[in-house]
Amino acid sequence: MSKQLWEMYYYSVKDEDWSRAKNSLNELSSADPKNPQILLKLGDICQRTGDMAGAIDAYRRSAAILEEQRLIQKALGLYKIILRLDPGNEEATGSTKRLIVEMDTVRMQESVSAAAPAEEKNEDIFFGLGREYDKETMEGEAQAVSKADWVENQDTIHIPPVFDSMPPDEIMHLLETSVPQRYTQGAVIISEGDMGNSIYLIQSGKAKVVTRLLGEDIELASLSSGDVFGEVAFLTGRPRTASIVAVDKTRVFEFKKFILEDIFEKNPEALQKLHVFYHCRLDDTMKKIRSAIIK
């Protein structure tokens, strides 16, 4: 029965039959009330259909279960969504503050009691610029390369590490099928709370990542040429978790979902790197939110 309900849910989402998808999730939740993922998906469906009260209730119940399972970061993420939908929600406000303090305490205890140094992370795998491809080299490897807008006045194209395991012809295909966009200083590239499933790559310029929590605007990161953003909504299907604002004149490539799905099907290692990148960025985001809240 559970398998049939999940199949009904996935087909409903594919057909954008949100009412049937919601009914499937409600039945699944009745059969498995302690599954936070079902409630999370239910909240997403409710939010998509404009049922904000239903979304908040589903996210709240999911967050409570995640707390019981000691998945604090995921619970915090859900309380953050609730506060975006209902900034005055006292329960979510109190839970957010409490969990941030709890996370800070746990991290301090772990730091003091650690018997051995933590394993070093090679952050170069996930952050900063990856390979740099000279256009002439790429043209030679990829054969007939279009002189499209995305290479205009660019001597070097910065390929982020999440894509650098792909062969050059696949990278060229990804770039050539992208949508080039230009933004002036102060322009909002994506807005927190918006629906969307594209991933973006900064070609030139700078941008900042901003989120709003407990009545404050918190700057989470600075982005520049070669940085990727938008991966959370692509991987989870949930609304944008932060706003991206151009700091100066900024050019970006937008990679549409259907192109990315085709690319990742051929290059599963790239999708795996994107998942790792997402989790690393989530951890860094929670640290910055904690620092901003606990002053």
Side-chain angles (χ1 to χ4, degrees), residues 161-179:
V162 293
F163 297 134
D164 69 3
S165 61
M166 293 163 46
D169 60 333
E170 290 287 348
I171 293 173
M172 293 298 294
H173 172 65
L174 178 63
L175 291 172
E176 287 189 303
T177 52
S178 70
V179 181

Side-chain angles (χ1 to χ4, degrees), residues 4 11 51-52 73 75-76 84 88 99 104-105 111 148 154-155 185 188 218 238 267 269 274-275 285:
Q4 292 176 336
Y11 282 122
D51 179 9
M52 296 308 165
Q73 284 194 351
L76 268 172
R84 176 171 49 77
L99 292 181
D104 201 53
T105 302
S111 177
Q154 292 293 303
D155 295 325
Q185 181 180 6
V188 177
I218 302 172
R238 297 199 292 275
N267 301 275
E269 184 180 346
L274 186 64
H275 277 283
T285 294

Side-chain angles (χ1 to χ4, degrees), residues 49-72:
T49 57
D51 179 9
M52 296 308 165
I56 288 170
D57 180 64
Y59 289 140
R60 177 188 58 78
R61 288 188 287 152
S62 180
I65 296 170
L66 289 168
E67 278 195 64
E68 292 176 6
Q69 298 175 351
R70 306 308 299 159
L71 298 173
I72 304 301

Side-chain angles (χ1 to χ4, degrees), residues 140-270:
E141 293 176 330
Q143 303 302 320
V145 175
S146 171
K147 296 292 185 180
D149 179 68
W150 54 267
V151 296
E152 180 183 340
N153 299 322
Q154 292 293 303
D155 295 325
T156 304
I157 301 169
H158 299 293
I159 305 302
V162 293
F163 297 134
D164 69 3
S165 61
M166 293 163 46
D169 60 333
E170 290 287 348
I171 293 173
M172 293 298 294
H173 172 65
L174 178 63
L175 291 172
E176 287 189 303
T177 52
S178 70
V179 181
Q181 298 177 1
R182 297 178 178 86
Y183 295 89
T184 57
Q185 181 180 6
V188 177
I189 302 174
I190 61 175
S191 296
E192 184 172 2
D194 284 354
M195 300 303 298
N197 47 32
S198 297
I199 292 179
Y200 298 80
L201 168 66
I202 295 182
Q203 178 187 20
S204 63
K206 295 181 180 179
K208 60 182 178 180
V209 184
V210 181
T211 190
R212 188 163 184 81
L213 182 63
L214 301 179
E216 294 185 44
D217 288 327
I218 302 172
E219 186 170 333
L220 301 176
S222 295
L223 306 176
S224 58
S225 178
D227 283 327
V228 169
F229 60 89
E231 76 287 344
V232 177
F234 172 81
L235 292 173
T236 66
R238 297 199 292 275
R240 301 294 187 186
T241 57
S243 296
I244 309 295
V245 181
V247 174
D248 52 22
K249 291 182 180 180
T250 304
R251 291 165 58 100
V252 302
F253 304 136
E254 179 185 2
F255 304 131
K256 299 289 188 179
K257 181 180 180 181
F258 70 95
I259 295 294
L260 289 169
E261 288 178 335
D262 179 61
I263 291 289
F264 289 143
E265 184 177 356
K266 298 175 182 176
N267 301 275
E269 184 180 346

